[in-house]
Amino acid sequence: MTRNLTQTRELFEKAKQFIPYGVNSNFRYWGEEDTLVVMRGEGSHVWDVDENQYIDYRLAFGPIILGHGYPPVVERVAEAIRDGTLFAWTTPLEIQVAERIVRLTGVEKVRLSNTGTEATMHALRIARAYTGRERFIKFEGQYHGMYDYVLFTTASTPASALGSRRNPINVQMSSGIPEGIRRYVINLPFNDFERLEEAVEAHWHELAAIMVEPILGNAAGIMSQPGWLEKVRELCDRHGIVLIFDEVKTGFRVARGGAQEYFGVKADLVTYAKAMGNGFPIAAIGGKEEVMMVIEPGRVSHGGTYTGNTVGTAAAAATLEILETEPVYEALFQRGQMLMDGIHEILNRAGIPHFVTGLPPMFSFILGVEEEPVDFRGYCTGDDPLYERLAMALLERGVMLDCDGREPWFLSYSHSEQDIADTLTAFEEAVKAVI
Ligand code: PMP
Protein backbone atom coordinates (compact mmCIF):
# COMPACT_ATOMS: atom_id res chain seq x y z
CA MET A 1 0.00 0.00 0.00
CA THR A 2 1.67 3.21 -1.13
CA ARG A 3 0.23 6.60 -1.88
CA ASN A 4 1.06 8.35 -5.10
CA LEU A 5 3.20 11.30 -4.02
CA THR A 6 4.60 12.32 -7.41
CA GLN A 7 3.40 15.94 -7.36
CA THR A 8 4.24 16.24 -3.68
CA ARG A 9 7.86 15.23 -4.26
CA GLU A 10 8.18 17.50 -7.28
CA LEU A 11 6.80 20.54 -5.47
CA PHE A 12 8.85 19.81 -2.37
CA GLU A 13 12.01 19.86 -4.52
CA LYS A 14 10.92 23.26 -5.80
CA ALA A 15 10.11 24.48 -2.26
CA LYS A 16 13.68 23.64 -1.23
CA GLN A 17 15.08 25.88 -3.94
CA PHE A 18 13.62 28.92 -2.18
CA ILE A 19 12.75 27.93 1.39
CA PRO A 20 15.32 26.36 3.76
CA TYR A 21 14.42 22.64 3.93
CA GLY A 22 11.21 23.47 2.04
CA VAL A 23 9.22 24.33 5.18
CA ASN A 24 8.25 27.47 7.05
CA SER A 25 8.55 25.83 10.45
CA ASN A 26 11.06 23.16 11.43
CA PHE A 27 8.28 21.10 13.04
CA ARG A 28 6.85 20.48 9.55
CA TYR A 29 9.98 18.85 8.17
CA TRP A 30 9.50 15.08 8.11
CA GLY A 31 12.56 14.41 5.96
CA GLU A 32 13.10 14.18 2.22
CA GLU A 33 10.60 11.39 1.59
CA ASP A 34 7.74 12.15 3.92
CA THR A 35 7.27 15.93 4.11
CA LEU A 36 3.86 16.68 2.64
CA VAL A 37 2.72 19.49 0.40
CA VAL A 38 -0.93 20.12 1.18
CA MET A 39 -3.34 21.84 -1.16
CA ARG A 40 -6.67 22.28 0.59
CA GLY A 41 -8.91 21.37 3.47
CA GLU A 42 -12.62 21.11 4.07
CA GLY A 43 -14.30 20.22 7.33
CA SER A 44 -12.48 17.23 8.84
CA HIS A 45 -10.45 16.47 5.69
CA VAL A 46 -7.30 17.69 3.95
CA TRP A 47 -5.91 16.86 0.52
CA ASP A 48 -2.27 16.83 -0.55
CA VAL A 49 -1.20 18.04 -4.00
CA ASP A 50 -1.55 14.48 -5.34
CA GLU A 51 -5.23 14.53 -4.27
CA ASN A 52 -4.67 11.96 -1.53
CA GLN A 53 -7.43 12.53 1.00
CA TYR A 54 -6.92 12.35 4.75
CA ILE A 55 -9.16 12.58 7.81
CA ASP A 56 -7.21 15.21 9.69
CA TYR A 57 -6.44 14.81 13.42
CA ARG A 58 -3.32 16.93 13.24
CA LEU A 59 -5.45 19.99 12.53
CA ALA A 60 -2.43 22.25 12.05
CA PHE A 61 -1.25 21.42 15.62
CA GLY A 62 -4.65 22.16 17.12
CA PRO A 63 -6.21 25.44 15.97
CA ILE A 64 -8.87 23.99 13.67
CA ILE A 65 -11.59 23.47 16.29
CA LEU A 66 -14.58 23.85 13.98
CA GLY A 67 -13.22 22.41 10.74
CA HIS A 68 -11.13 23.48 7.75
CA GLY A 69 -12.54 26.41 5.77
CA TYR A 70 -15.50 26.55 8.16
CA PRO A 71 -18.01 28.69 6.19
CA PRO A 72 -19.43 30.93 8.98
CA VAL A 73 -15.88 31.91 10.03
CA VAL A 74 -14.54 32.37 6.49
CA GLU A 75 -17.59 34.45 5.51
CA ARG A 76 -17.30 36.69 8.58
CA VAL A 77 -13.64 37.35 7.79
CA ALA A 78 -14.31 37.98 4.09
CA GLU A 79 -17.05 40.45 4.94
CA ALA A 80 -15.01 42.26 7.58
CA ILE A 81 -11.86 42.75 5.50
CA ARG A 82 -13.74 44.51 2.71
CA ASP A 83 -13.72 47.52 5.04
CA GLY A 84 -9.96 47.36 5.58
CA THR A 85 -7.62 45.07 7.47
CA LEU A 86 -5.58 47.24 9.81
CA PHE A 87 -6.02 50.65 11.39
CA ALA A 88 -3.83 50.62 14.51
CA TRP A 89 -6.78 52.04 16.41
CA THR A 90 -9.23 50.26 18.67
CA THR A 91 -12.08 48.73 16.64
CA PRO A 92 -15.59 47.60 17.68
CA LEU A 93 -14.57 44.07 16.65
CA GLU A 94 -11.73 44.01 19.19
CA ILE A 95 -14.07 45.13 21.94
CA GLN A 96 -16.55 42.42 20.99
CA VAL A 97 -13.84 39.70 21.11
CA ALA A 98 -12.38 40.94 24.41
CA GLU A 99 -15.85 41.01 25.98
CA ARG A 100 -16.53 37.45 24.88
CA ILE A 101 -13.17 36.15 26.13
CA VAL A 102 -13.86 37.75 29.52
CA ARG A 103 -17.34 36.17 29.63
CA LEU A 104 -16.19 32.71 28.57
CA THR A 105 -12.99 32.38 30.58
CA GLY A 106 -13.45 34.55 33.65
CA VAL A 107 -10.30 36.62 33.01
CA GLU A 108 -10.89 40.23 33.96
CA LYS A 109 -8.89 42.03 31.29
CA VAL A 110 -7.53 40.92 27.93
CA ARG A 111 -5.07 42.16 25.30
CA LEU A 112 -4.91 40.67 21.83
CA SER A 113 -1.79 39.29 20.20
CA ASN A 114 -1.04 37.38 16.99
CA THR A 115 0.61 34.09 17.99
CA GLY A 116 1.07 31.86 20.99
CA THR A 117 4.74 32.81 21.11
CA GLU A 118 3.92 36.48 21.41
CA ALA A 119 1.27 35.84 24.04
CA THR A 120 3.50 33.83 26.38
CA MET A 121 6.39 36.25 25.83
CA HIS A 122 4.23 39.17 26.89
CA ALA A 123 2.79 37.22 29.82
CA LEU A 124 6.29 36.60 31.11
CA ARG A 125 7.16 40.29 30.82
CA ILE A 126 3.97 41.29 32.62
CA ALA A 127 4.75 38.83 35.43
CA ARG A 128 8.29 40.18 35.75
CA ALA A 129 7.06 43.77 35.76
CA TYR A 130 4.39 42.95 38.35
CA THR A 131 6.72 41.14 40.75
CA GLY A 132 10.03 42.88 40.09
CA ARG A 133 11.60 39.39 39.88
CA GLU A 134 13.33 37.79 36.90
CA ARG A 135 13.40 33.99 37.09
CA PHE A 136 10.57 31.58 36.36
CA ILE A 137 9.66 27.93 36.66
CA LYS A 138 8.44 25.88 33.73
CA PHE A 139 8.08 22.12 33.44
CA GLU A 140 10.03 19.58 31.41
CA GLY A 141 8.42 18.80 28.08
CA GLN A 142 6.48 22.05 27.97
CA TYR A 143 6.79 24.20 24.87
CA HIS A 144 5.80 27.84 25.09
CA GLY A 145 6.93 29.19 21.75
CA MET A 146 9.97 30.28 19.81
CA TYR A 147 11.69 32.95 21.92
CA ASP A 148 14.92 32.37 23.81
CA TYR A 149 13.74 32.44 27.45
CA VAL A 150 11.51 29.39 27.09
CA LEU A 151 13.52 27.23 24.69
CA PHE A 152 14.98 25.03 27.40
CA THR A 153 14.00 21.43 28.13
CA THR A 154 11.04 21.46 25.80
CA ALA A 155 9.36 18.40 24.31
CA SER A 156 12.21 18.23 21.78
CA THR A 157 14.78 17.46 24.47
CA PRO A 158 16.14 13.89 24.44
CA ALA A 159 15.51 11.92 27.65
CA SER A 160 19.23 11.27 28.06
CA ALA A 161 19.90 15.01 28.44
CA LEU A 162 17.37 15.74 31.21
CA GLY A 163 19.70 15.05 34.11
CA SER A 164 18.52 13.66 37.42
CA ARG A 165 15.02 14.31 38.71
CA ARG A 166 16.59 15.84 41.83
CA ASN A 167 18.72 18.19 39.76
CA PRO A 168 17.27 18.66 36.26
CA ILE A 169 19.44 20.19 33.53
CA ASN A 170 18.22 23.17 31.51
CA VAL A 171 18.77 21.82 28.02
CA GLN A 172 18.95 24.44 25.28
CA MET A 173 16.68 23.50 22.36
CA SER A 174 18.57 25.48 19.75
CA SER A 175 21.87 27.03 18.88
CA GLY A 176 21.75 30.80 18.76
CA ILE A 177 20.49 31.32 22.31
CA PRO A 178 22.76 33.48 24.49
CA GLU A 179 24.38 31.39 27.21
CA GLY A 180 23.46 33.81 30.01
CA ILE A 181 19.74 33.45 29.44
CA ARG A 182 19.81 29.94 30.91
CA ARG A 183 19.91 31.33 34.45
CA TYR A 184 16.39 32.74 34.22
CA VAL A 185 14.57 29.43 33.80
CA ILE A 186 14.13 26.53 36.22
CA ASN A 187 12.80 23.33 34.65
CA LEU A 188 11.12 20.79 36.91
CA PRO A 189 9.38 17.45 36.32
CA PHE A 190 5.61 17.92 35.82
CA ASN A 191 3.28 16.61 38.55
CA ASP A 192 6.17 16.31 41.04
CA PHE A 193 4.77 17.96 44.16
CA GLU A 194 7.92 17.50 46.23
CA ARG A 195 10.40 18.90 43.70
CA LEU A 196 8.13 21.89 43.10
CA GLU A 197 7.76 22.69 46.77
CA GLU A 198 11.53 22.40 47.26
CA ALA A 199 12.33 24.65 44.30
CA VAL A 200 9.79 27.28 45.26
CA GLU A 201 10.91 27.37 48.91
CA ALA A 202 14.53 27.78 47.75
CA HIS A 203 13.97 30.39 45.04
CA TRP A 204 10.67 32.18 45.66
CA HIS A 205 12.27 35.56 46.22
CA GLU A 206 13.64 35.47 42.65
CA LEU A 207 10.57 33.92 40.99
CA ALA A 208 8.34 36.11 38.83
CA ALA A 209 6.21 33.29 37.49
CA ILE A 210 5.34 29.64 37.28
CA MET A 211 4.34 28.95 33.68
CA VAL A 212 2.37 25.78 33.26
CA GLU A 213 0.54 23.97 30.49
CA PRO A 214 -2.36 22.46 32.51
CA ILE A 215 -2.30 19.52 30.11
CA LEU A 216 1.03 18.69 28.43
CA GLY A 217 -0.12 19.57 24.93
CA ASN A 218 3.37 19.05 23.57
CA ALA A 219 3.97 15.74 25.36
CA ALA A 220 1.04 13.54 24.37
CA GLY A 221 -1.55 15.39 26.45
CA ILE A 222 -0.35 14.11 29.84
CA MET A 223 -2.83 15.37 32.43
CA SER A 224 -2.29 17.33 35.61
CA GLN A 225 -2.72 14.87 38.46
CA PRO A 226 -5.46 15.60 41.03
CA GLY A 227 -4.33 18.42 43.31
CA TRP A 228 -1.36 19.42 41.14
CA LEU A 229 -2.68 22.72 39.80
CA GLU A 230 -4.12 23.50 43.24
CA LYS A 231 -0.64 22.97 44.67
CA VAL A 232 0.92 25.28 42.08
CA ARG A 233 -1.77 27.87 42.86
CA GLU A 234 -1.16 27.60 46.60
CA LEU A 235 2.61 28.05 46.26
CA CYS A 236 2.13 31.08 44.00
CA ASP A 237 -0.27 32.62 46.51
CA ARG A 238 2.06 31.91 49.41
CA HIS A 239 5.02 33.64 47.75
CA GLY A 240 3.57 36.34 45.50
CA ILE A 241 4.47 34.49 42.30
CA VAL A 242 2.38 35.07 39.17
CA LEU A 243 0.72 31.87 37.97
CA ILE A 244 0.61 31.74 34.18
CA PHE A 245 -1.51 29.07 32.51
CA ASP A 246 -0.27 28.59 28.97
CA GLU A 247 -3.58 27.66 27.36
CA VAL A 248 -2.40 28.07 23.79
CA LYS A 249 -3.47 24.47 23.17
CA THR A 250 -6.10 23.87 25.88
CA GLY A 251 -7.83 27.26 25.63
CA PHE A 252 -11.32 27.09 24.08
CA ARG A 253 -10.57 23.43 23.33
CA VAL A 254 -11.08 21.36 26.48
CA ALA A 255 -13.98 23.53 27.68
CA ARG A 256 -15.48 26.93 26.81
CA GLY A 257 -13.46 28.38 29.66
CA GLY A 258 -10.43 26.20 28.84
CA ALA A 259 -8.35 24.37 31.42
CA GLN A 260 -9.23 26.91 34.11
CA GLU A 261 -12.84 25.78 33.84
CA TYR A 262 -12.03 22.10 33.37
CA PHE A 263 -9.78 21.87 36.44
CA GLY A 264 -11.52 24.58 38.48
CA VAL A 265 -8.27 26.46 39.16
CA LYS A 266 -7.75 30.11 38.24
CA ALA A 267 -4.44 31.51 37.06
CA ASP A 268 -3.28 35.12 37.33
CA LEU A 269 -2.44 35.28 33.63
CA VAL A 270 -3.63 33.04 30.82
CA THR A 271 -2.43 32.83 27.22
CA TYR A 272 -4.73 31.81 24.38
CA ALA A 273 -4.14 31.31 20.67
CA LYS A 274 -4.89 28.31 18.50
CA ALA A 275 -8.58 27.37 18.88
CA MET A 276 -9.77 30.93 19.42
CA GLY A 277 -9.49 31.72 15.70
CA ASN A 278 -10.11 28.34 14.03
CA GLY A 279 -6.81 28.63 12.15
CA PHE A 280 -6.57 32.38 11.65
CA PRO A 281 -3.62 34.12 13.34
CA ILE A 282 -4.92 35.52 16.61
CA ALA A 283 -3.92 35.18 20.26
CA ALA A 284 -4.66 36.78 23.61
CA ILE A 285 -3.22 37.40 27.04
CA GLY A 286 -5.85 37.59 29.74
CA GLY A 287 -5.73 37.80 33.47
CA LYS A 288 -6.59 39.39 36.75
CA GLU A 289 -7.12 43.11 36.50
CA GLU A 290 -4.44 43.95 39.03
CA VAL A 291 -1.78 42.03 37.10
CA MET A 292 -2.90 43.03 33.59
CA MET A 293 -3.02 46.71 34.51
CA VAL A 294 0.78 46.85 34.80
CA ILE A 295 0.72 47.25 30.98
CA GLU A 296 0.79 50.98 31.50
CA PRO A 297 1.62 52.95 28.36
CA GLY A 298 5.21 54.12 28.49
CA ARG A 299 6.05 51.90 31.46
CA VAL A 300 5.57 48.22 30.55
CA SER A 301 5.63 47.24 26.89
CA HIS A 302 2.92 45.37 25.08
CA GLY A 303 2.21 46.00 21.43
CA GLY A 304 2.59 44.88 17.84
CA THR A 305 1.58 46.45 14.54
CA TYR A 306 -0.80 43.61 13.72
CA THR A 307 -2.42 43.11 17.13
CA GLY A 308 -6.19 43.39 16.75
CA ASN A 309 -5.99 43.17 12.94
CA THR A 310 -9.32 42.58 11.25
CA VAL A 311 -8.48 39.17 9.78
CA GLY A 312 -7.69 37.42 13.06
CA THR A 313 -10.12 39.41 15.15
CA ALA A 314 -13.09 38.79 12.85
CA ALA A 315 -12.18 35.08 12.85
CA ALA A 316 -12.11 35.08 16.65
CA ALA A 317 -15.43 36.92 16.81
CA ALA A 318 -17.08 34.28 14.63
CA THR A 319 -15.32 31.29 16.22
CA LEU A 320 -15.98 32.31 19.82
CA GLU A 321 -19.63 33.03 19.02
CA ILE A 322 -20.04 29.50 17.64
CA LEU A 323 -18.18 27.99 20.60
CA GLU A 324 -20.52 29.83 22.96
CA THR A 325 -23.79 29.10 21.23
CA GLU A 326 -23.48 25.65 19.61
CA PRO A 327 -22.98 22.24 21.25
CA VAL A 328 -19.34 22.06 20.11
CA TYR A 329 -17.86 20.59 23.31
CA GLU A 330 -20.56 17.96 23.56
CA ALA A 331 -19.62 16.83 20.01
CA LEU A 332 -15.87 16.95 20.63
CA PHE A 333 -16.15 14.94 23.85
CA GLN A 334 -18.58 12.39 22.44
CA ARG A 335 -16.67 11.68 19.21
CA GLY A 336 -13.27 11.99 20.82
CA GLN A 337 -14.30 9.46 23.48
CA MET A 338 -15.47 7.02 20.78
CA LEU A 339 -12.05 7.30 19.18
CA MET A 340 -10.12 6.96 22.43
CA ASP A 341 -12.16 3.90 23.45
CA GLY A 342 -11.82 2.32 20.01
CA ILE A 343 -8.05 2.83 19.91
CA HIS A 344 -7.72 1.44 23.44
CA GLU A 345 -9.67 -1.70 22.47
CA ILE A 346 -7.70 -2.29 19.26
CA LEU A 347 -4.36 -1.90 21.04
CA ASN A 348 -5.55 -4.26 23.78
CA ARG A 349 -6.63 -6.86 21.25
CA ALA A 350 -3.23 -6.58 19.57
CA GLY A 351 -1.50 -7.05 22.94
CA ILE A 352 0.32 -3.71 22.75
CA PRO A 353 0.83 -2.19 26.19
CA HIS A 354 -0.19 1.47 26.15
CA PHE A 355 -1.72 4.30 28.08
CA VAL A 356 -4.34 6.65 26.65
CA THR A 357 -3.70 10.26 27.69
CA GLY A 358 -5.46 13.62 27.56
CA LEU A 359 -9.10 14.55 27.02
CA PRO A 360 -11.33 13.67 24.05
CA PRO A 361 -10.83 17.03 22.23
CA MET A 362 -7.03 16.60 22.57
CA PHE A 363 -5.77 13.13 23.40
CA SER A 364 -3.04 10.68 22.56
CA PHE A 365 -1.65 7.33 23.63
CA ILE A 366 1.79 6.28 24.69
CA LEU A 367 2.87 2.86 23.46
CA GLY A 368 4.96 0.29 25.27
CA VAL A 369 4.25 1.52 28.80
CA GLU A 370 2.63 -0.49 31.59
CA GLU A 371 2.01 2.42 33.97
CA GLU A 372 0.51 5.84 33.50
CA PRO A 373 3.19 8.35 32.44
CA VAL A 374 2.68 11.51 34.50
CA ASP A 375 5.54 13.62 33.22
CA PHE A 376 7.86 14.07 30.26
CA ARG A 377 10.32 11.54 31.70
CA GLY A 378 7.47 9.03 31.76
CA TYR A 379 6.56 9.90 28.18
CA CYS A 380 10.15 9.19 27.14
CA THR A 381 9.90 5.58 28.35
CA GLY A 382 7.36 4.93 25.58
CA ASP A 383 8.03 3.32 22.23
CA ASP A 384 8.40 6.30 19.86
CA PRO A 385 9.62 4.27 16.85
CA LEU A 386 6.51 2.06 17.04
CA TYR A 387 4.27 5.14 17.29
CA GLU A 388 5.95 6.62 14.24
CA ARG A 389 5.53 3.41 12.22
CA LEU A 390 1.87 3.33 13.20
CA ALA A 391 1.40 6.99 12.24
CA MET A 392 2.98 6.38 8.83
CA ALA A 393 0.76 3.31 8.31
CA LEU A 394 -2.27 5.47 9.16
CA LEU A 395 -1.21 8.15 6.68
CA GLU A 396 -1.06 5.48 3.99
CA ARG A 397 -4.66 4.66 4.93
CA GLY A 398 -5.95 8.24 4.80
CA VAL A 399 -5.69 9.22 8.47
CA MET A 400 -3.50 12.19 9.26
CA LEU A 401 -1.83 12.61 12.60
CA ASP A 402 1.64 13.82 13.45
CA CYS A 403 4.26 11.09 13.23
CA ASP A 404 5.75 12.55 16.39
CA GLY A 405 4.01 10.90 19.36
CA ARG A 406 4.41 14.05 21.47
CA GLU A 407 1.86 15.86 19.32
CA PRO A 408 -1.68 14.95 20.42
CA TRP A 409 -4.62 14.05 18.20
CA PHE A 410 -7.15 16.87 17.88
CA LEU A 411 -10.86 16.67 17.16
CA SER A 412 -12.94 19.24 15.32
CA TYR A 413 -16.67 19.95 15.31
CA SER A 414 -16.66 18.73 11.69
CA HIS A 415 -15.48 15.20 12.54
CA SER A 416 -18.49 12.95 12.06
CA GLU A 417 -19.27 9.57 13.60
CA GLN A 418 -18.52 8.14 10.16
CA ASP A 419 -15.05 9.73 10.26
CA ILE A 420 -14.45 8.05 13.61
CA ALA A 421 -15.66 4.67 12.32
CA ASP A 422 -13.44 4.98 9.21
CA THR A 423 -10.50 5.98 11.38
CA LEU A 424 -10.93 2.96 13.63
CA THR A 425 -11.09 0.64 10.62
CA ALA A 426 -7.85 2.17 9.32
CA PHE A 427 -6.35 1.95 12.81
CA GLU A 428 -7.08 -1.76 13.09
CA GLU A 429 -5.39 -2.38 9.71
CA ALA A 430 -2.45 -0.11 10.53
CA VAL A 431 -1.82 -1.93 13.81
CA LYS A 432 -1.80 -5.27 11.99
CA ALA A 433 0.66 -3.85 9.47
CA VAL A 434 3.20 -2.69 12.05
CA ILE A 435 3.29 -5.50 14.61
N1 PMP B 1 2.40 27.48 23.94
C1 PMP B 1 1.97 26.24 23.69
C2 PMP B 1 1.43 25.40 24.80
C3 PMP B 1 2.03 25.73 22.39
O1 PMP B 1 1.62 24.46 22.16
C4 PMP B 1 2.53 26.55 21.35
C5 PMP B 1 2.60 26.07 19.91
N2 PMP B 1 2.46 24.74 19.69
C6 PMP B 1 2.95 27.84 21.67
C7 PMP B 1 2.86 28.28 22.97
C8 PMP B 1 3.47 28.77 20.59
O2 PMP B 1 2.42 29.19 19.78
P1 PMP B 1 2.69 29.71 18.31
O3 PMP B 1 3.18 28.58 17.49
O4 PMP B 1 1.35 30.25 17.85
O5 PMP B 1 3.70 30.81 18.41
Side-chain angles (χ1 to χ4, degrees), residues 78-94:
E79 203 178 298
I81 62 177
R82 279 194 203 105
D83 289 331
T85 52
L86 197 62
F87 310 105
W89 290 112
T90 296
T91 63
L93 208 50
E94 287 172 78

Side-chain angles (χ1 to χ4, degrees), residues 149-172:
Y149 286 122
V150 293
L151 284 178
F152 290 90
T153 315
T154 63
S156 307
T157 303
S160 56
L162 294 171
S164 104
R165 174 177 282 278
R166 295 204 65 79
N167 187 16
I169 296 170
N170 281 333
V171 186
Q172 204 164 308

Side-chain angles (χ1 to χ4, degrees), residues 332-408:
L332 298 181
F333 271 82
Q334 187 241 343
R335 287 167 211 155
Q337 193 65 54
M338 281 171 67
L339 197 51
M340 289 167 92
D341 291 347
I343 286 173
H344 179 53
E345 259 170 50
I346 294 168
L347 291 172
N348 270 347
R349 273 203 301 277
I352 302 175
H354 64 279
F355 205 92
V356 181
T357 47
L359 294 172
M362 176 177 117
F363 74 92
S364 195
F365 49 89
I366 301 172
L367 298 176
V369 291
E370 305 283 351
E371 278 175 36
E372 179 182 4
V374 294
D375 58 20
F376 183 58
R377 289 165 191 261
Y379 169 81
C380 292
T381 63
D383 190 342
D384 271 343
L386 178 59
Y387 189 96
E388 185 173 338
R389 288 204 306 283
L390 183 58
M392 296 314 289
L394 281 162
L395 268 141
E396 290 295 343
R397 291 163 178 80
V399 175
M400 181 177 288
L401 62 155
D402 207 86
C403 67
D404 182 339
R406 292 166 287 199
E407 190 61 31

Side-chain angles (χ1 to χ4, degrees), residues 27 61 114-118 120 143-146 213 217-218 246-250 271 273-274 407:
F27 296 123
F61 299 138
N114 300 299
T115 67
T117 294
E118 276 180 64
T120 66
Y143 172 71
H144 300 294
M146 271 294 170
E213 278 185 77
N218 293 281
D246 180 355
E247 293 223 47
V248 165
K249 273 191 169 160
T250 55
T271 55
K274 306 199 180 222
E407 190 61 31

Side-chain angles (χ1 to χ4, degrees), residues 55 57 335-346 349 363 394 399 409 417-431:
I55 307 172
Y57 296 99
R335 287 167 211 155
Q337 193 65 54
M338 281 171 67
L339 197 51
M340 289 167 92
D341 291 347
I343 286 173
H344 179 53
E345 259 170 50
I346 294 168
R349 273 203 301 277
F363 74 92
L394 281 162
V399 175
W409 295 48
E417 292 197 4
Q418 189 60 50
D419 287 332
I420 307 299
D422 293 346
T423 304
L424 289 173
T425 305
F427 197 91
E428 183 115 47
E429 286 174 20
V431 165

Side-chain angles (χ1 to χ4, degrees), residues 5-323:
L5 290 173
T6 318
Q7 297 291 324
T8 299
R9 299 257 159 79
E10 219 170 88
L11 266 179
F12 186 57
E13 282 309 310
K14 185 162 184 191
K16 285 190 297 180
Q17 286 174 29
F18 308 109
I19 304 169
Y21 301 92
V23 289
N24 275 310
S25 161
N26 286 357
F27 296 123
R28 300 175 197 165
Y29 182 74
W30 286 17
E32 294 299 298
E33 295 297 307
D34 296 318
T35 303
L36 288 184
V37 181
V38 164
M39 192 167 56
R40 72 192 163 91
E42 188 185 333
S44 57
H45 287 76
V46 290
W47 287 262
D48 65 28
V49 288
D50 289 285
E51 287 289 351
N52 294 304
Q53 175 180 317
Y54 307 87
I55 307 172
D56 188 10
Y57 296 99
R58 191 167 168 269
L59 296 179
F61 299 138
I64 312 297
I65 187 121
L66 298 173
H68 289 286
Y70 202 71
V73 179
V74 172
E75 280 154 24
R76 184 84 69 92
V77 173
E79 203 178 298
I81 62 177
R82 279 194 203 105
D83 289 331
T85 52
L86 197 62
F87 310 105
W89 290 112
T90 296
T91 63
L93 208 50
E94 287 172 78
I95 304 169
Q96 200 183 313
V97 167
E99 186 182 1
R100 209 180 284 270
I101 292 173
V102 165
R103 185 163 67 240
L104 291 180
T105 66
V107 299
E108 291 166 359
K109 285 275 192 292
V110 60
R111 277 272 178 103
L112 295 181
S113 213
N114 300 299
T115 67
T117 294
E118 276 180 64
T120 66
M121 181 186 79
H122 281 111
L124 193 54
R125 180 176 309 126
I126 295 168
R128 284 170 163 158
Y130 180 76
T131 56
R133 304 171 185 165
E134 295 188 342
R135 299 181 79 187
F136 68 104
I137 288 175
K138 69 178 272 300
F139 298 95
E140 295 171 346
Q142 289 190 173
Y143 172 71
H144 300 294
M146 271 294 170
Y147 57 103
D148 293 347
Y149 286 122
V150 293
L151 284 178
F152 290 90
T153 315
T154 63
S156 307
T157 303
S160 56
L162 294 171
S164 104
R165 174 177 282 278
R166 295 204 65 79
N167 187 16
I169 296 170
N170 281 333
V171 186
Q172 204 164 308
M173 181 182 151
S174 168
S175 294
I177 295 175
E179 174 55 31
I181 219 164
R182 180 190 302 274
R183 68 171 292 275
Y184 295 108
V185 62
I186 297 171
N187 272 285
L188 299 175
F190 194 62
N191 278 324
D192 189 329
F193 290 63
E194 226 176 288
R195 288 289 90 72
L196 177 66
E197 177 125 25
E198 253 173 39
V200 171
E201 292 305 333
H203 299 291
W204 66 267
H205 56 286
E206 313 174 278
L207 288 175
I210 299 182
M211 195 187 282
V212 60
E213 278 185 77
I215 299 173
L216 291 188
N218 293 281
I222 288 174
M223 296 287 284
S224 282
Q225 292 295 290
W228 169 247
L229 293 173
E230 287 83 351
K231 180 72 186 174
V232 181
R233 177 70 273 175
E234 179 205 315
L235 289 168
C236 285
D237 286 341
R238 196 188 304 162
H239 296 294
I241 301 163
V242 173
L243 173 53
I244 304 172
F245 275 7
D246 180 355
E247 293 223 47
V248 165
K249 273 191 169 160
T250 55
F252 304 106
R253 175 161 278 289
V254 299
R256 278 188 188 89
Q260 289 196 112
E261 177 184 322
Y262 184 84
F263 290 104
V265 177
K266 283 246 173 278
D268 300 310
L269 290 175
V270 192
T271 55
Y272 300 107
K274 306 199 180 222
M276 70 180 279
N278 195 46
F280 285 86
I282 180 85
I285 310 129
K288 295 198 172 140
E289 172 145 14
E290 188 187 327
V291 184
M292 286 297 289
M293 290 307 281
V294 305
I295 318 179
E296 191 184 342
R299 300 194 188 275
V300 175
S301 298
H302 167 262
T305 303
Y306 296 103
T307 53
N309 73 80
T310 304
V311 176
T313 313
T319 304
L320 296 177
E321 186 182 321
I322 295 165
L323 294 180

